[in-house]
Amino acid sequence: MRQHEALALERAVDILSCLAHPVRLAVVARLERDGAATVSTLCQELDVEQSAMSHHLRHLRDAELVIAERRGRAMRYALADAHVGHIVRDTLAHAAEDD
Amino acid sequence: MRQHEALALERAVDILSCLAHPVRLAVVARLERDGAATVSTLCQELDVEQSAMSHHLRHLRDAELVIAERRGRAMRYALADAHVGHIVRDTLAHAAEDD
DNA sequence: TTGACATATGAACAGTACATCATATGATGT
DNA sequence: ACATCATATGATGTACTGTTCATATGTCAA
């Protein structure tokens, strides 16, 4: 039980660390709003270099916040599940609130 | 509007960065569960050195996630508002879920 | 004021994360 | 097989973050 809590805390830190970067947060927010997208689409929309984007997407995949599937020669990224979207939406809502 | 969104994103990254550390997340979770506490109480309960705890609390204060008030010679820390608690609870819930 | 207690701050070092560049892999069309 | 497009990976320098130690500030009681 204590162990369980400790594990949840570790996992939560992983999730938060992963989201705690402007590009990665923007990617997740984008996927939450408009649904799945390819790497090049994300690069254009968020104005990020291909390599950098790829590294960030890897990070997001490792943390299991997004999933990827091949679409011809492109890769289509999507949120791993709705929960992630909720966390991001809540945080953004909170961030927007107290200005 | 775009500007507003960008600001919210920056602020969100600040919040997430601040929460993305085991000690700080544990502090916020503790304050969420059991209410306000002094520094020494937090140190004991979470087994963290006084100086380290103080540095982390400073971080949390700078991000306006917690507030502090004097209580004699001690300092009593509490969550800045309910929203922070929600974010943490949601994230922990999500983290605990997919095990 | 002095001493003890509670917390905060500053500096230095160690470990991590990030941006960038070069290159590799994988898929498609010819 | 080759050229091209789309994405991924590896290496490296740099900057940031966190821990620790030493010291400072602030509060209380005698």
Side-chain angles (χ1 to χ4, degrees):
Chain A
M1 347 235 116
R2 267 292 111 76
Q3 185 70 357
H4 210 259
E5 272 180 37
L7 284 178
L9 225 133
E10 274 185 53
R11 170 72 180 130
V13 167
D14 281 350
I15 295 173
L16 293 168
S17 305
C18 197
L19 295 176
H21 185 286
V23 170
R24 293 193 296 267
L25 186 60
V27 165
V28 173
R30 156 63 175 79
L31 297 178
E32 155 81 2
R33 268 199 316 273
D34 307 332
T38 65
V39 177
S40 56
T41 301
L42 293 172
C43 284
Q44 290 171 219
E45 291 188 9
L46 304 179
D47 191 33
V48 175
E49 289 290 330
Q50 181 272 318
S51 179
M53 180 60 82
S54 202
H55 279 294
H56 286 301
L57 288 171
R58 173 89 150 93
H59 203 159
L60 286 163
R61 271 176 87 172
D62 285 351
E64 297 178 336
L65 298 184
V66 305
I67 53 177
E69 65 165 353
R70 273 226 169 265
R71 271 281 184 158
R73 35 187 132 181
M75 280 288 191
R76 192 164 208 66
Y77 280 84
L79 290 190
D81 62 63
H83 236 109
V84 181
H86 289 161
I87 295 174
V88 171
R89 204 192 303 204
D90 285 0
T91 309
L92 281 170
H94 176 62
E97 220 170 67
D98 43 30
D99 281 340
Chain B
M1 344 229 121
R2 268 291 109 77
Q3 185 71 358
H4 212 260
E5 271 181 35
L7 284 178
L9 226 132
E10 273 186 53
R11 170 73 179 131
V13 168
D14 281 350
I15 294 174
L16 293 169
S17 306
C18 198
L19 294 177
H21 184 285
V23 169
R24 293 193 296 267
L25 186 60
V27 165
V28 173
R30 157 62 175 80
L31 296 177
E32 156 80 2
R33 269 200 315 275
D34 306 332
T38 65
V39 177
S40 55
T41 300
L42 293 173
C43 286
Q44 291 172 217
E45 291 189 8
L46 305 179
D47 191 32
V48 174
E49 289 289 329
Q50 181 271 319
S51 178
M53 179 59 83
S54 202
H55 279 295
H56 287 301
L57 287 170
R58 173 87 150 91
H59 204 160
L60 286 164
R61 272 176 85 171
D62 285 349
E64 296 178 338
L65 299 184
V66 304
I67 53 175
E69 66 165 355
R70 273 223 169 266
R71 271 279 186 160
R73 35 188 132 180
M75 280 289 190
R76 191 165 209 66
Y77 280 84
L79 291 190
D81 61 65
H83 236 110
V84 182
H86 290 160
I87 295 174
V88 171
R89 206 192 302 206
D90 285 359
T91 309
L92 281 172
H94 176 63
E97 222 170 66
D98 42 29
D99 280 340

